[in-house]
Amino acid sequence: MEQIRKLPIGIQTFEDIRKDGYLYVDKTAFVYQMVHTGKPYFLSRPRRFGKSLLISTFEAYFQGRKDLFTGLAIEQLEKEWIEYPVLHLDLNAEKYDSISRLDSMLARYLSLWEDVWGQEEREVTLSDRFSGIIRRAYEQTGRQVVVLIDEYDKPLIQTLLDETLLDEYRRILKAFYGVLKSADRYLRFVFLTGVTKFAQVSVFSDLNHLQDISSWPDYSSLCGITKEELVRTFTPEIERLGADNGMDFDTILDKMTKQYDGYHFYPHCEGVFNPFSVLNACKAKVLDNFWFQTGTPTYLVDLLKQSDYDLRLLIDGVEVTASAFFEYRAEVKNPLPMIYQSGYLTIKDYDKDVLLYTLGFPNDEVRYGFLNFLVPYYTDVTDDETGFHIAKFMRELSFGDVDAFMERLKVFFAGIPYELSNGTERHYQAVFYIVFTLMGQFVETEVRSARGRADAVVKTGDYIYVFEFKLNGSAEEALKQIDEKGYLIPYALEGRKLLKVGVNFSKEMRNVDKYIVIEE
């Protein structure tokens, strides 16, 4: 019987992974480098990207647990394995809907630490108690203290649109985290992780000594899985995934790359795969949208609902300055930093001459998931209905039934509420782009990205369709452009039936006015 190796899905404790024989992507060389080259660090990464496991790895290291690191890179690097007092604060597992919830969570950890290191009566406030614990831990052990804080920003991002509660959380956390600077002489190592980097708010104003390594090239693959790590660690699982889907190793690896790779946290650095999706794909033996299926975070949904930001700008990528997306500013006018830091966009390019970054979708999982997410913003079609319609679109074109396809497209446009439709060509192009791009999950679809190409080309097993769209023009004009520009010529020798489809949109009707289909 074939041996099935253990995949650490949902396992965020380093000790459990090592003791129970789960597969582990070795990041311990980074741990050694960080420990020996600095002290206070901050790292921002999207959800389910391995931040909690990384924190747990640091905890085991500073506890001197050499036994857990046997066979890993750090075993050859570290010679001392000194045990330090470790204070590990995890703010992830709580719903912060009131001040008492945050106070209770912090007080709970402080009480646990005080059971070990003691308490003085004069220490009343949360920050006083925290400071006293750090000082006593140092005095009682003779060694500096390690502070590890996972999801430092969870209370803040849960209350982004509640200014009153957000201000209170800022006040509480400013004083609490501020201890990390005033107690510096007692601290050996400090590491905070979170989804966002809050700027221009009081929380970080007292933590200006932190080294923000979120966009440092040396740590771009600190979380996530590089392709080399993927192949080295998961080759048997990739082979099984390929066999179950009728693909050889190189083909399934290429599919996984398109589906899950492509996150860049620094310009032109090596991309990383989403670890959550990789592990689940290997376990389930299917390439699915595992990360996206865990749900778009409530805070992002709420922010986008109240934002007037034109989400259509994200479809083909958007050029911005670093300040526009690296640090979150508490305002709904620009949700871009939150969209980027939540993992829905990544750095695709950087123009060093004008200091502009290009942000875009990292991979197919996020591209198709986010476009599905966008549909209700532009139509009355729900998320569940979108998948049904896209499958029907694909089937109808596969069977050569252009009339059924066009009638279904009309349903999409008829569902655009009047208040959503601004009557511009751009709005209709957005819906058109979303439909055709979502079809690309199932058939080869190209959407125009440069001059001199048709608006869309769809390839099925037996057919190649070339679409051209006009707004308040005519279907005849669209067909004429296909002929004059020679849009069909590149596909003449592919051996499939060629169909050109000219379509006109009426601004008054807010829908398809007329279409003409001609087979070559």
Side-chain angles (χ1 to χ4, degrees):
M1 181 177 178
E2 185 180 17
Q3 181 182 3
I4 304 299
R5 303 193 298 171
K6 299 171 72 172
L7 297 166
I9 299 174
I11 310 298
Q12 299 179 343
T13 304
F14 181 72
E15 180 178 4
D16 290 347
I17 287 177
R18 298 297 290 162
K19 277 191 168 183
D20 296 338
Y22 288 95
L23 293 179
Y24 174 69
V25 177
D26 189 354
K27 301 290 186 178
T28 60
F30 288 117
V31 170
Y32 181 86
Q33 181 177 335
M34 289 176 63
V35 167
H36 289 275
T37 59
K39 179 162 69 172
Y41 291 99
F42 169 74
L43 176 70
S44 167
R45 285 293 182 268
R47 61 193 171 90
R48 297 187 179 276
F49 240 82
K51 300 188 297 295
S52 296
L53 175 58
L54 180 62
I55 286 282
S56 180
T57 306
F58 276 106
E59 183 175 24
Y61 168 81
F62 280 112
Q63 289 172 339
R65 296 294 306 277
K66 182 179 179 180
D67 58 303
L68 298 179
F69 293 87
T70 302
L72 300 181
I74 200 171
E75 183 185 31
Q76 306 301 317
L77 300 171
E78 185 57 72
K79 306 303 179 185
E80 297 182 326
W81 295 100
I82 298 172
E83 181 179 359
Y84 295 88
V86 178
L87 305 179
H88 179 184
L89 172 61
D90 183 359
L91 294 180
N92 192 45
E94 184 62 88
K95 182 175 178 61
Y96 299 98
D97 54 4
S98 67
I99 296 174
S100 62
R101 286 289 188 95
L102 178 57
D103 284 341
S104 176
M105 172 63 88
L106 297 177
R108 191 182 315 149
Y109 274 95
L110 292 172
S111 295
L112 290 172
W113 297 333
E114 286 166 345
D115 288 343
V116 178
W117 306 110
Q119 182 182 13
E120 295 181 4
E121 289 185 4
R122 61 184 176 179
E123 295 167 359
V124 178
T125 68
L126 295 172
S127 54
D128 283 344
R129 293 170 64 188
F130 190 26
S131 180
I133 290 167
I134 293 173
R135 176 179 52 81
R136 284 189 297 278
Y138 168 75
E139 291 172 346
Q140 293 173 29
T141 63
R143 289 178 180 155
Q144 291 176 303
V145 179
V146 172
V147 177
L148 305 172
I149 301 180
D150 195 12
E151 304 290 356
Y152 90 97
D153 56 345
K154 193 65 175 288
L156 300 171
I157 62 179
Q158 284 190 359
T159 54
L160 282 177
L161 302 179
D162 185 339
E163 273 298 325
T164 301
L165 194 54
L166 185 61
D167 284 341
E168 285 297 314
Y169 284 173
R170 289 174 184 157
R171 179 186 59 79
I172 295 170
L173 293 176
K174 170 184 169 63
F176 190 83
Y177 293 144
V179 170
L180 299 175
K181 187 171 185 180
S182 61
D184 182 67
R185 60 178 171 163
Y186 302 121
L187 296 172
R188 166 66 180 88
F189 187 81
V190 175
F191 188 29
L192 282 74
T193 72
V195 171
T196 59
K197 168 69 181 295
F198 279 78
Q200 295 183 352
V201 295
S202 59
V203 172
F204 263 74
S205 62
D206 286 346
L207 292 176
N208 51 16
H209 67 310
L210 286 176
Q211 299 178 78
D212 182 1
I213 61 173
S214 304
S215 59
W216 287 16
D218 290 347
Y219 298 112
S220 61
S221 58
L222 177 59
C223 289
I225 302 173
T226 66
K227 179 173 280 191
E228 189 274 332
E229 290 171 334
L230 179 71
V231 173
R232 184 177 68 233
T233 309
F234 299 103
T235 286
E237 287 71 29
I238 297 171
E239 289 174 341
R240 267 197 302 275
L241 175 62
D244 279 20
N245 289 273
M247 303 178 197
D248 60 26
F249 184 86
D250 290 338
T251 302
I252 193 65
L253 182 61
D254 182 60
K255 292 280 188 182
M256 293 182 74
T257 301
K258 292 178 180 178
Q259 188 79 355
Y260 305 129
D261 192 12
Y263 290 91
H264 296 87
F265 302 106
Y266 180 82
H268 308 127
C269 70
E270 182 178 12
V272 292
F273 288 71
N274 182 317
F276 182 79
S277 292
V278 165
L279 292 174
N280 278 277
C282 290
K283 182 73 171 181
K285 299 184 179 62
V286 64
L287 299 180
D288 208 341
N289 297 335
F290 296 102
W291 180 78
F292 211 97
Q293 286 173 359
T294 60
T296 302
T298 302
Y299 62 81
L300 183 57
V301 174
D302 293 341
L303 188 67
L304 292 177
K305 283 180 179 178
Q306 294 198 27
S307 171
D308 59 0
Y309 186 83
D310 189 351
L311 295 175
R312 290 169 292 189
L313 297 175
L314 308 180
I315 289 176
D316 287 319
V318 57
E319 278 193 321
V320 293
T321 61
S323 61
F325 71 98
F326 270 138
E327 297 182 334
Y328 178 71
R329 289 165 172 79
E331 58 181 26
V332 298
K333 293 181 180 179
N334 179 24
L336 195 62
M338 189 63 77
I339 299 173
Y340 166 78
Q341 293 174 25
S342 297
Y344 295 90
L345 296 175
T346 195
I347 299 172
K348 305 298 287 188
D349 200 4
Y350 177 65
D351 188 333
K352 65 180 185 303
D353 293 329
V354 292
L355 306 180
L356 286 180
Y357 292 80
T358 299
L359 304 183
F361 300 126
N363 50 47
D364 283 350
E365 174 179 20
V366 179
R367 176 182 296 106
Y368 296 133
F370 197 81
L371 289 174
N372 267 305
F373 174 69
L374 284 184
V375 168
Y377 282 83
Y378 297 106
T379 75
D380 260 349
V381 179
T382 65
D383 290 340
D384 292 339
E385 292 173 326
T386 300
F388 172 80
H389 282 295
I390 296 302
K392 290 288 188 179
F393 278 136
M394 178 204 70
R395 181 179 295 172
E396 287 153 0
L397 291 186
S398 295
F399 291 156
D401 193 348
V402 184
D403 290 334
F405 172 85
M406 292 304 303
E407 290 304 313
R408 190 173 302 280
L409 190 61
K410 288 181 180 180
V411 171
F412 254 71
F413 283 99
I416 301 177
Y418 185 79
E419 63 271 15
L420 289 182
S421 174
N422 53 22
T424 66
E425 183 174 8
R426 188 170 65 173
H427 190 102
Y428 295 111
Q429 285 176 336
V431 178
F432 150 78
Y433 181 97
I434 290 171
V435 168
F436 278 84
T437 303
L438 286 173
M439 286 173 57
Q441 300 169 86
F442 309 105
V443 293
E444 186 177 352
T445 303
E446 301 172 2
V447 184
R448 182 174 61 187
S449 59
R451 293 186 63 184
R453 295 178 59 187
D455 282 329
V457 177
V458 180
K459 299 181 181 181
T460 69
D462 298 318
Y463 301 92
I464 296 179
Y465 301 88
V466 175
F467 289 84
E468 187 65 30
F469 295 84
K470 295 294 180 183
L471 179 65
N472 278 1
S474 71
E476 289 81 5
E477 290 174 359
L479 284 175
K480 183 179 180 181
Q481 182 170 329
I482 292 175
D483 292 334
E484 290 181 347
K485 297 289 186 179
Y487 292 154
L488 283 174
I489 294 176
Y491 313 106
L493 302 179
E494 294 203 18
R496 284 174 274 191
K497 293 181 180 179
L498 303 180
L499 290 92
K500 51 188 179 182
V501 186
V503 183
N504 182 59
F505 285 101
S506 168
K507 184 182 295 186
E508 291 74 25
M509 294 174 56
R510 294 188 293 122
N511 211 319
V512 174
D513 172 39
K514 181 181 180 181
Y515 67 91
I516 302 173
V517 183
I518 296 180
E519 181 177 339
E520 287 292 294

